[in-house]
Amino acid sequence: MNDIKICVIGLGYVGLPLARLFSTRYPTVGFDMNQGRVDALMQGHDVTLEVSDELLQDAIEKHGFKCTTSLEDIKDCNFYVVAVPTPVDENNRPDLKPLIGASETVGKVISKGDVVVYESTVYPGVTEEECLPVVERVSGLKYNVDFFAGYSPERINPGDKQHTVEKIKKVTSGSTPEVADLVDGVYNSVLVNGTHKAPSIRVAEASKIIENSQRDVNIAFMNELAKIFNAMGIDTHDVIEAASSKWNFIKLSPGLVGGHCISVDPYYLIQKAQVYGVLPRVMTNARRLNDGMGDYVANQVIRLMNKKGVMVKDAKILILGITFKENCPDIRNTKVVDIYQTLREYTSNITVFDPWANADAVMKEYQIPIVSESRQLKICEYDVIILAVAHEAFLKMDLRVLQEEHGIIYDVKGVLPRDIVDGRL
């Protein structure tokens, strides 16, 4: 493996941390179509905050890590890793365009004997049935004769500073036993906790997609319980605390399911299952239930306002947080937007405050203006405050003043002191 030179295609939440890690052991180049992204990285800053400025600058200065948009800069690589998004379209159907585009890029630069490894989350069969034929067509090379492939699903958890990429145990696979060993060896050489070598690419693909589907189903169950217990006037979190005293109870909380993984990946398996004549009812119902939780929260808030005599029409509402999870700038598929849109039918006086989110990105993606600094807020002026994201900064805010003014505080995350909230999910 001494002659390995790696190119990571796609420098987002997954690709950049992986490329930075590889650069500590192998000559590594990061490729991305976004020139602005590449320029910012070469200046030593990652706007996703997944890689610290110190680590990134160290990779550039000490290990020769380079980011580029030029195909010429990656032609001499021999181990290509594809880490591009796999979104769904407006009808929740898998959108493979980024993956096909990346495969075309690989096809333009791959040479005989090279290996391409896919990290993007897909349904079983995509790598060999959709991606590699594109590489063959563009390159003129034959799969498993002239070039080889592997699949090692990403396990990046945005904003998680404990389970960082070097500490994640990775699943690996290869298109031949020898290539499987090579791929496994390359990943093993940079990972603290090693790898699990799957028997085939399809098994590795399937393992990734059920990781996120399982979590989606489990959270959907908790969300369904929250709806039941809220209707009964029972606090769901109290129920969960009591039940978790049993040794084998799996403790999860209800909540909004957004982001680029859990709220998206199950659709890939749902669609593929139907091709084989299987209707995945549990996953489909879980997706439907979780997708509706933003609207449910908004209506719970409206119900509380009516009970407390707070006028809904033209009410002044403050939503704390718009990223899809706490202490992270990632706004992809955030379901806080659904809370906003439902309440927007009743009032235009809604302020969204999030010190982690990029205001320009939020406006471009969702057409929602946000406030980024707390000094722009005066808590006592609002009729309603909704804690939608559990950023640490929000937990330090003094929200009791609103309670004194007879306003409503709704806690989506169940993290605020019980005595100051009027309702929680």
Side-chain angles (χ1 to χ4, degrees):
M1 294 191 296
N2 293 330
D3 62 345
I4 294 289
K5 182 172 183 181
I6 296 175
C7 170
V8 177
I9 297 174
L11 297 176
Y13 282 87
V14 173
L16 180 65
L18 184 65
R20 197 283 311 171
L21 179 61
F22 275 140
S23 75
T24 63
R25 177 70 186 266
Y26 307 97
T28 303
V29 181
F31 179 87
D32 200 283
M33 299 290 287
N34 186 333
Q35 186 66 57
R37 171 69 168 160
V38 167
D39 291 343
L41 293 176
M42 290 308 294
Q43 290 169 11
H45 180 63
D46 169 28
V47 295
T48 71
L49 305 181
E50 289 302 301
V51 177
S52 69
D53 290 358
E54 181 182 3
L55 281 178
L56 182 55
Q57 290 163 8
D58 184 72
I60 294 170
E61 295 168 7
K62 294 184 180 179
H63 302 293
F65 176 54
K66 177 182 179 181
C67 301
T68 184
T69 59
S70 171
L71 291 178
E72 290 298 320
D73 292 334
I74 64 174
K75 281 186 174 179
D76 61 340
C77 295
N78 53 23
F79 193 95
Y80 295 92
V81 179
V82 175
V84 297
T86 43
V88 292
D89 62 19
E90 61 276 7
N91 296 312
N92 292 321
R93 292 177 301 203
D95 179 4
L96 298 178
K97 289 195 289 291
L99 206 51
I100 298 303
S103 298
E104 291 174 345
T105 297
V106 172
K108 294 174 183 177
V109 295
I110 200 168
S111 301
K112 284 190 175 182
D114 292 354
V115 175
V116 53
V117 178
Y118 288 86
E119 288 234 354
S120 306
T121 304
V122 293
Y123 55 77
V126 167
T127 299
E128 294 170 294
E129 297 167 11
E130 304 289 344
C131 298
L132 296 178
V134 173
V135 178
E136 283 187 314
R137 173 176 56 80
V138 176
S139 67
L141 302 176
K142 188 169 179 59
Y143 170 50
N144 266 352
V145 175
D146 300 316
F147 74 94
F148 305 89
Y151 183 81
S152 179
E154 62 90 3
R155 279 177 168 169
I156 294 293
N157 185 23
D160 189 339
K161 302 308 178 186
Q162 180 180 355
H163 303 96
T164 50
V165 62
E166 65 271 15
K167 298 176 184 176
I168 295 170
K169 186 170 185 175
K170 291 271 286 174
V171 173
T172 65
S173 62
S175 56
T176 70
E178 296 76 19
V179 171
D181 288 341
L182 172 65
V183 172
D184 192 67
V186 170
Y187 278 92
N188 232 322
S189 67
V190 295
L191 298 174
V192 173
N193 293 314
T195 60
H196 173 91
K197 187 168 63 173
S200 70
I201 288 175
R202 286 168 64 89
V203 167
E205 290 170 324
S207 73
K208 169 56 182 177
I209 205 158
I210 71 164
E211 290 174 20
N212 292 337
S213 297
Q214 181 189 65
R215 187 159 174 80
D216 193 41
V217 169
N218 286 341
I219 296 173
F221 175 58
M222 291 300 170
N223 281 335
E224 190 164 64
L225 292 179
K227 288 185 173 183
I228 294 170
F229 293 137
N230 285 341
M232 293 179 172
I234 301 172
D235 188 286
T236 307
H237 293 271
D238 287 345
V239 175
I240 292 170
E241 284 298 322
S244 63
S245 63
K246 186 168 188 266
W247 65 91
N248 61 352
F249 180 80
I250 300 172
K251 186 178 180 181
L252 291 172
S253 298
L256 305 178
V257 182
H260 189 67
C261 292
I262 299 177
S263 66
V264 173
D265 297 344
Y267 288 119
Y268 276 70
L269 190 54
I270 288 169
Q271 191 220 41
K272 194 62 175 178
Q274 292 173 351
V275 172
Y276 284 86
V278 178
L279 180 60
R281 290 183 175 86
V282 173
M283 286 193 297
T284 301
N285 289 337
R287 277 284 72 241
R288 186 179 297 115
L289 195 153
N290 285 341
D291 270 350
M293 290 307 292
D295 183 69
Y296 173 77
V297 166
N299 282 291
Q300 285 292 100
V301 170
I302 292 170
R303 183 180 67 85
L304 286 171
M305 292 172 71
N306 287 329
K307 286 181 66 175
K308 203 168 182 178
V310 178
M311 182 70 69
V312 177
K313 181 174 171 55
D314 298 326
K316 293 193 68 174
I317 298 175
L318 173 63
I319 298 177
L320 297 177
I322 197 167
T323 61
F324 92 89
K325 65 181 296 187
E326 64 275 6
N327 306 318
C328 170
D330 196 343
I331 62 170
R332 293 175 297 177
N333 299 319
T334 173
K335 297 307 176 184
V336 181
V337 171
D338 296 342
I339 300 176
Y340 178 93
Q341 297 295 359
T342 299
L343 293 175
R344 192 72 173 73
E345 297 176 17
Y346 300 90
T347 176
S348 59
N349 299 321
I350 303 176
T351 302
V352 178
F353 170 49
D354 197 318
W356 281 88
N358 181 287
D360 292 336
V362 175
M363 178 59 74
K364 180 180 179 181
E365 183 69 22
Y366 301 111
Q367 295 76 54
I368 296 176
I370 70 168
V371 172
S372 300
E373 297 182 21
S374 59
R375 61 183 175 83
Q376 298 172 268
L377 305 173
K378 193 171 182 181
I379 298 299
C380 63
E381 291 183 349
Y382 293 97
D383 300 305
V384 178
I385 294 179
I386 302 170
L387 178 79
V389 185
H391 293 321
E392 287 182 12
F394 296 158
L395 306 185
K396 299 174 183 177
M397 294 175 65
D398 183 11
L399 303 180
R400 293 180 186 275
V401 64
L402 182 68
Q403 190 183 43
E404 295 168 2
E405 297 293 329
H406 308 292
I408 298 289
I409 298 177
Y410 190 89
D411 184 5
V412 175
K413 302 297 292 185
V415 294
L416 293 176
R418 289 281 297 276
D419 64 324
I420 72 167
V421 301
D422 297 276
R424 57 181 185 168
L425 189 58

